Structures are given as structure tokens and as C-alpha cells.
């Protein structure tokens, strides 16, 4: 069936289209260029509407043990946020940590067609993928965590041949069915178990004798030489620490030009000026990002209200337990290879610290010049639920609205931020880059995030409402692989999204040493540790989308 979307204003940055009135044709789930005489089976008249590719969230905690823990420990998050079943959709609950199916529905109702879990433990990959399989409609993918695992740290400590290190990285990506690799507080999760309560970039792990710098450089180099498109996803040292911006600057410099992605960079941009020894260092961080083209980042914007912080960074989450609201938390070890911290939290607009965090995130958005290297996130749910995105987009596009919101927060905090002096307003084209084309390019999604011929027809249609929050809250239409899924913000069809994975080459010989290691130290055998394709496909309930990698360097 040939479908025609007629007369919409198209914003497609990957193809240089900035608000041009164009027709889009869909056939067999993809965007096509039909013959002039081709018969159109169904036409949508979209004159005056805004058309973009489906939204892509490159960093959202939607699967894995930490989310299950958060849902179990926070019945308060369920109350008042119940969603009744309909003829099409299942019942669900939750605000900060919505249940799996509800998460998928809310993303789709907001015009998104993909979201990526950024912190999947190799030992927990099976459970994480099961949760993501339950996350309806949207495509998924996950970044596997390395950097505090014993096998990798042993390799570094023994100065193993770098080819073997690359083999281990690639093997882990295959075993966990991952699209990318993330490092969380490099070495710090492990060091915490050896009674270290901090680990700076050049501080040695007391047991292995390696530094976070060693870990970052080896992982970044390994991924680059393996040809994995998305660079190492870095949750750096000293998250949330006043003065931690110096570590962030040192991390950028220490990458030695290798591609890296700095995640939730707002939490790594704190200075120490003023009586309270807490200030914004967003200007310094933005300057460094602007000057280093090898660096991309997402913001992790703080939004006011109740949420739940969930992270593999057990070292920093242990510190945050004193601020838990409500007063309960979980910090745990997993297989001696990683950690998990779940701490509920409420951001308050009258709090000096929380107001400054909010301002720092907006500063970063407004000071980083290149939207192709800066992505719109709240680090869901750590800075706030992803459902805040339409409000955040309005803050970026409307300086008068932003100034109105600034009047409602702690005014002392604004003295330590440059936010009040920033007049930049994002355009729809730039929003399309940050929420569609940029993440797709960074993740290597060659046929998503754009509206060119051959792309899968993941398409969002918006009313061109001057109130950009209202506009991005309720799309008029959402197509997923060419099928109409959402009309006027309501689900009209439920489908199962695919799972994006990357499969860099590795020498199978690595399995000889891994098998011995698993038998000596793990609670499961190596063969049971690996997640098979069939477990994701699950009789047709899911599908695998294998993204290409570049050729492996010698």
C-alpha cells in the first residue's frame, strides 16, 4: 500500500531539510520515491503541520534490575498514577518509574519511536532485555557496562595484549546483545568494595593498581578499533561533587582525541565558588566540548518534582542515601563485577542546590554550539521522568518562558549561573537534530532518525503550535515502520519494537580463558551467561536489528 503525507513542513536535518513543504511517500514500511504515475492508496493532508522523524532517546533507564527494584520499593510512585487498560493497551502505573508497557505507550504518545537503556550489566542482560521486550511500540537497545568488572581489570593490571582486551569487549557486547559500551565511575564501583570512598581520574585502585584514566583510554581505544559506531559512553568520576568539573575537563583532555560520549554532563559541571562552595562550571565545560570535536554529550537535565535516582554508580549513590526522599534506598553489589544504587529523590525549586542544577543543565544546552554533539535527556529518571521533555523543549525554544520559570526558583542560585544572560532560542531544526538526527547518527542507526528515501517510516506529525510544550506533548500522528500508531496523542495500534545490537568481530579463542574464569569465579557457566538471539526474538514477539560496525583495526 502506498501512503502519501501531503503538504507538511518537513524538518529532516540528516538530509538538510529545514521546514520545507514536501510530500512524503511510504510503502512497505519505508520511505520511498514512487513513480509519478503510482497510485496512492491513502493520503493524509498535512498542510501547516510539522513533520519530523520519530524521536530517539539515547539515554533512558527503562530496563534492568535497578528499574525493577525502583518499582518494587516505591508504591508511592504508583498511587495517583494508575493507567486503566483499554481495548488496545494494558494497565500500568508509575510516574518517575512507570511500568514497562506504560513506558512504551508514553514514549509513543509523545512522538518517540526508540529509547536506549544506557547501563545494562552483563550478568543482568537477560532480565534487562525481558523488561525492554515488554516496553511496547518503541525500538530498544542497551549499552553494556564494563570498567569495574574483575576480568577486564585483571587484563589491565597484567598489561594484557591489547588485541585480547578488544576481544573481551567485543565478546561481552555479543553475549549481552548490546549496541554500545558504557563505563560508570571507571573502576570506582570496584574500588568501593575495597573500602575506597572516592576514585579520581589518576588515583590508583588499591587492588588492581589501575586508574580511571587507564580504563577510559583502553575502552575508548578498543571500541574505536573494533569499529563500534557509538563512542565509549562515559559516566565519569566524581558525579555530583562540587569541583568535579575539573575532573570532567581532565577526562576530555585525557581521551587523547579518541571519540567519547560524556553522559548526563550536568551532574559533572559543578564548581566551588561562593559561600556554599557550589556554583556552575557550565561555561568551562561547554567551552571544552566546543573545542574538542571528538566529544559528544547528553545533558541529564534536572526537572523539579519527585523522581527516583537509579545508577550503577554505587559509590556515589551511597553518598546520596542521606538525601533519600522518601527515606529508603538500596545499594548493592552484583556478581562482584558491578553495583546498583536506587535512591528516591525530590528536586525542589526553592532549594539552592536543586535550582542551580536546573540552571546548569539549561546553560549547557545554550552554551554548547553544535546540536549534533548534544542530546536532549533528563537521564530518566535521575534528573526527572522523560515525560518532562516537552516542557524542556519549550524552555529551550522560548526565552521569555524560560525567564518566567527563572522567577519561580531560588534566586540566590542564579547568582552563580550565567543563565540569566543567555538569549539563545532553539529552532525546530535544532530540536530535530538533538532529538532525532543526532542520536541516530551517534548510535549508527543508518535507516532511522531521518526522512530520506530508504529510511524506515518512523514519522511524527505535530500541530505547529506556538506553545511548543503543548505541541511536543501531543503529536497528531505517529507512524512506526509505516503503520499509524498514535492519533491525537492516543494509541490506535500496539506493535512490538525491535532491539538494536552491534556485533564487532572477535577471536573466539578468548572463550578458552573466559570459560576457565567463569568456572572459577562466576555463579553461572559461560554458556548460560550468553543471551541467545532466540531469547530476544521469542517466537516473533521481538526482532533483532543488527547495526553495522566498521572493519576491525589490527
Amino acid at each position: 500500500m502506498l501512503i502519501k503525507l501531503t503538504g507538511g513542513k518537513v524538518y529532516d536535518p540528516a538530509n538538510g531539510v529545514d521546514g520545507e513543504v514536501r510530500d512524503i511517500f511510504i510503502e512497505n514500511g519505508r520511505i520511498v520515491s514512487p513513480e509519478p504515475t503510482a497510485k496512492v492508496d491513502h493520503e493524509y493532508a498535512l498542510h501547516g503541520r510539522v513533520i519530523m522523524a520519530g524521536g530517539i532517546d539515547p539515554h533512558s533507564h527503562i530496563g534492568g534490575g535497578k528499574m525493577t527494584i525502583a518499582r518494587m520499593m516505591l508504591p508511592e510512585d504508583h498511587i495517583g498514577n494508575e493507567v486503566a487498560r483499554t481495548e488496545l493497551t494494558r494497565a500500568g502505573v508509575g510516574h518517575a518509574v512507570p511500568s514497562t508497557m506504560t513506558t512504551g505507550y508514553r514514549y509513543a504518545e509523545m512522538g518517540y519511536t526508540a529509547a536506549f537503556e544506557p547501563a545494562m550489566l552483563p550478568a543482568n542482560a537477560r532480565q534487562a532485555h525481558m523488561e525492554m521486550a515488554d516496553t511496547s511500540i518503541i525500538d530498544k537497545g542497551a549499552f553494556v557496562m564494563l570498567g569495574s568488572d574483575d576480568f577486564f581489570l585483571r587484563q589491565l593490571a597484567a598489561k594484557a595484549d591489547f588485541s585480547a582486551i578488544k576481544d573481551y569487549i567485543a565478546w561481552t557486547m555479543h553475549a549481552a546483545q548490546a549496541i554500545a559500551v558504557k563505563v560508570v565511575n571507571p573502576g570506582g564501583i570496584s574500588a568501593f568494595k575495597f573500602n575506597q570512598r572516592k576514585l579520581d581520574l589518576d588515583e590508583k585502585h588499591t587492588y588492581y593498581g589501575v586508574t580511571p584514566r587507564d580504563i577510559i583510554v583502553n575502552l575508548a581505544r578498543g571500541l574505536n578499533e573494533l569499529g563500534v559506531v557509538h563512542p565509549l559512553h562515559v559516566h565519569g568520576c566524581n558525579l555530583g561533587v562540587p569541583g568535579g568539573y575539573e575532573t570532567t575537563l581532565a577526562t576530555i583532555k585525557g581521551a587523547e582525541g579518541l571519540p567519547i560520549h560524556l553522559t548526563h554532563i550536568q551532574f559533572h559541571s559543578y564548581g566551588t565558588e561562593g559561600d556554599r562552595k557550589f556554583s556552575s562550571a557550565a561555561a568551562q565545560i561547554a567551552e571544552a566540548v566546543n573545542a574538542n570535536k571528538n566529544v559528544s554529550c547528553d545533558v541529564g537535565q534536572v526537572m523539579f518534582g519527585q523522581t527516583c535516582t537509579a545508577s550503577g554508580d554505587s559509590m556515589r549513590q551511597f553518598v546520596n542515601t542521606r538525601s533519600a526522599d522518601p527515606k529508603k534506598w538500596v545499594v548493592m553489589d552484583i556478581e562482584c563485577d558491578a553495583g546498583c544504587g536506587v535512591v528516591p529523590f525530590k528536586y525542589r525549586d526553592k532549594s539552592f542546590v536543586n535550582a542551580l542544577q536546573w540552571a546548569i543543565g539549561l546553560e549547557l544546552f545554550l552554551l554548547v554550539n553544535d546540536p549534533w554533539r548534544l542530546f536532549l535527556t533528563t537521564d530518566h529518571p535521575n534528573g526527572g521522568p522523560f515525560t518532562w521533555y516537552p516542557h524542556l523543549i519549550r524552555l529551550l525554544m522560548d526565552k521569555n518562558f524560560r525567564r518566567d520559570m527563572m522567577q519561580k526558583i531560588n534566586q540566590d542560585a542564579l547568582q552563580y549561573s550565567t543563565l540569566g544572560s543567555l538569549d539563545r532560542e532553539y529552532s525546530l531544526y535544532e530540536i530535530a537534530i538533538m532529538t532525532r538526527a543526532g542520536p541516530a547518527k551517534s548510535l549508527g542507526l543508518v535507516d532511522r532518525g531521518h526522512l530520506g528515501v530508504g529510511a524506515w517510516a518512523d514519522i511524527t506529525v505535530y500541530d505547529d503550535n506556538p506553545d511548543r510544550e503543548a505541541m511536543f506533548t501531543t503529536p497528531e500522528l505517529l507512524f512506526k515502520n509505516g503503520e499509524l500508531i498514535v492519533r491525537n496523542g492516543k494509541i490506535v495500534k500496539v506493535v512490538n519494537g525491535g532491539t538494536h545490537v552491534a556485533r564487532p568481530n572477535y577471536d573466539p579463542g578468548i572463550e578458552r580463558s573466559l570459560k576457565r574464569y567463569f568456572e572459577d569465579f562466576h555463579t553461572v557457566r559461560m554458556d548460560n551467561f550468553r543471551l541467545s538471539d532466540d531469547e530476544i526474538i521469542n517466537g516473533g514477539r521481538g526482532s533483532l536489528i543488527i547495526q553495522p560496525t566498521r572493519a576491525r583495526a589490527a
Side-chain angles (χ1 to χ4, degrees):
M1 182 170 72
L2 184 63
I3 299 169
K4 182 181 181 183
L5 311 183
T6 305
K9 291 187 290 185
V10 176
Y11 292 87
D12 183 19
N15 293 296
V17 181
D18 185 2
E20 297 177 23
V21 175
R22 291 192 173 190
D23 299 336
I24 295 175
F25 295 88
I26 304 168
E27 190 170 40
N28 297 326
R30 290 188 183 265
I31 296 172
V32 298
S33 178
E35 295 294 331
T37 57
K39 179 181 178 297
V40 173
D41 298 291
H42 192 90
E43 182 175 3
Y44 295 85
L46 301 177
H47 303 282
R49 307 299 196 272
V50 168
I51 301 178
M52 296 181 180
I56 298 171
D57 191 340
H59 185 108
S60 179
H61 295 280
I62 57 173
K66 59 192 177 302
M67 293 294 99
T68 302
I69 293 167
R71 292 178 184 118
M72 288 192 299
M73 71 182 285
L74 282 175
E76 301 93 332
D77 189 55
H78 305 174
I79 299 170
N81 294 291
E82 305 89 354
V83 181
R85 69 180 295 273
T86 70
E87 291 183 358
L88 291 172
T89 60
R90 301 284 293 274
V93 292
H95 165 68
V97 192
S99 52
T100 51
M101 293 179 182
T102 300
T103 296
Y105 303 149
R106 287 180 181 168
Y107 264 117
E109 288 166 349
M110 210 168 61
Y112 275 69
T113 53
F116 290 82
E117 164 56 55
M120 175 176 66
L121 302 177
N124 194 41
R126 183 167 282 105
Q127 191 269 344
H129 279 288
M130 289 174 68
E131 273 196 85
M132 289 190 289
D134 268 350
T135 305
S136 310
I137 299 175
I138 60 173
D139 290 341
K140 284 80 60 173
F143 310 160
V144 68
M145 284 173 58
L146 290 174
S148 277
D149 49 305
D150 178 62
F151 190 89
F152 175 71
L153 293 175
R154 285 171 184 245
Q155 284 184 309
L156 291 188
K159 302 189 184 307
D161 181 80
F162 193 67
S163 183
I165 291 175
K166 289 192 291 187
D167 288 333
Y168 176 60
I169 295 170
W171 182 89
T172 305
M173 290 184 69
H174 280 251
Q177 299 279 12
I179 189 173
V181 171
K182 183 183 184 183
V183 62
V184 175
N185 190 355
I189 305 169
S190 173
F192 183 68
K193 301 166 194 176
F194 288 84
N195 212 31
Q196 287 180 261
R197 291 298 176 258
K198 66 179 184 66
L199 192 66
D200 211 343
L201 189 65
D202 292 305
E203 190 174 354
K204 287 187 176 181
H205 190 296
T206 56
Y207 182 76
Y208 299 97
V210 301
T211 68
R213 184 189 297 269
D214 298 329
I215 293 167
I216 291 171
V217 170
N218 277 275
L219 287 173
R221 179 188 164 197
L223 287 166
N224 191 47
E225 293 187 10
L226 286 167
V228 176
V229 176
H230 188 61
L232 179 64
H233 205 83
V234 180
H235 164 143
C237 311
N238 295 326
L239 177 140
V241 176
Y245 82 98
E246 294 181 345
T247 303
T248 307
L249 295 176
T251 301
I252 292 172
K253 185 176 180 181
E256 302 173 1
L258 289 163
I260 58 170
H261 178 90
L262 299 176
T263 191
H264 43 61
I265 198 169
Q266 177 275 136
F267 290 106
H268 299 273
S269 301
Y270 302 158
T272 56
E273 295 180 7
D275 294 339
R276 306 195 200 194
K277 304 300 179 184
F278 187 73
S279 61
S280 170
Q284 295 95 313
I285 298 299
E287 182 180 11
V289 172
N290 289 336
N292 290 273
K293 306 304 182 186
N294 61 306
V295 176
S296 61
C297 53
D298 61 81
V299 171
Q301 176 67 37
V302 159
M303 306 302 285
F304 300 119
Q306 180 68 55
T307 193
C308 180
T309 65
S311 173
D313 193 346
S314 48
M315 178 185 280
R316 296 307 310 159
Q317 285 291 73
F318 179 72
V319 175
N320 290 339
T321 57
R322 67 190 70 168
S323 303
D325 186 358
K327 293 293 183 184
K328 49 187 169 180
W329 50 269
V330 171
V331 174
M332 61 185 293
D333 170 71
I334 301 170
E335 283 283 342
C336 294
D337 269 349
C340 175
V342 180
V343 183
F345 194 85
K346 184 177 289 185
Y347 293 102
R348 294 175 168 83
D349 57 4
K350 301 305 182 185
S351 158
F352 173 85
V353 171
N354 297 163
L356 191 50
Q357 290 175 299
W358 178 85
I360 290 168
L362 293 175
E363 283 182 280
L364 289 164
F365 275 117
L366 300 172
L367 290 169
V368 172
N369 297 328
D370 184 3
W372 285 98
R373 295 189 290 119
L374 178 75
F375 308 139
L376 188 142
T377 67
T378 57
D379 186 20
H380 166 81
N382 289 291
F386 65 82
T387 46
W388 276 108
Y389 287 173
H391 181 81
L392 176 54
I393 289 171
R394 186 179 179 189
L395 287 169
L396 298 178
M397 296 191 72
D398 186 342
K399 64 184 179 183
N400 292 325
F401 177 71
R402 186 165 67 235
R403 286 169 180 163
D404 289 343
M405 295 300 101
M406 288 169 62
Q407 298 306 310
K408 299 181 179 182
I409 69 171
N410 184 299
Q411 296 299 293
D412 291 340
L414 294 176
Q415 298 177 33
Y416 298 96
S417 161
T418 64
L419 183 60
S421 67
L422 302 177
D423 290 331
R424 180 180 177 184
E425 292 179 313
Y426 271 74
S427 66
L428 284 171
Y429 188 76
E430 290 174 313
I431 293 297
I433 294 172
M434 282 204 307
T435 61
R436 273 93 172 156
K441 181 181 178 182
S442 177
L443 290 162
L445 313 183
V446 293
D447 51 11
R448 264 81 175 176
H450 70 93
L451 301 174
V453 171
W456 282 102
D458 291 356
I459 302 173
T460 313
V461 178
Y462 297 103
D463 176 29
D464 193 2
N465 189 334
D467 180 344
R468 298 309 192 191
E469 183 172 356
M471 171 180 166
F472 283 96
T473 296
T474 309
E476 288 197 6
L477 303 172
L478 176 70
F479 295 88
K480 181 77 183 77
N481 294 347
E483 294 188 88
L484 183 62
I485 301 299
V486 172
R487 185 189 291 274
N488 296 323
K490 301 296 182 185
I491 304 290
V492 296
K493 185 172 184 177
V494 177
V495 298
N496 295 320
T499 298
H500 294 268
V501 300
R503 293 184 171 168
N505 291 329
Y506 68 90
D507 180 352
I510 188 72
E511 295 187 351
R512 288 192 294 271
S513 55
L514 275 170
K515 188 171 184 179
R516 291 193 300 270
Y517 178 82
F518 270 80
E519 289 173 351
D520 289 344
F521 297 110
H522 265 285
T523 59
V524 295
R525 293 187 182 275
M526 187 184 75
D527 289 339
N528 294 330
F529 187 86
R530 290 187 291 201
L531 186 64
S532 71
D533 290 357
D534 288 343
E535 291 178 84
I536 290 178
I537 295 170
N538 193 15
R541 185 165 172 257
S543 61
L544 281 165
I545 305 166
I546 301 172
Q547 297 297 344
T549 57
R550 301 183 302 273
R552 173 172 172 157

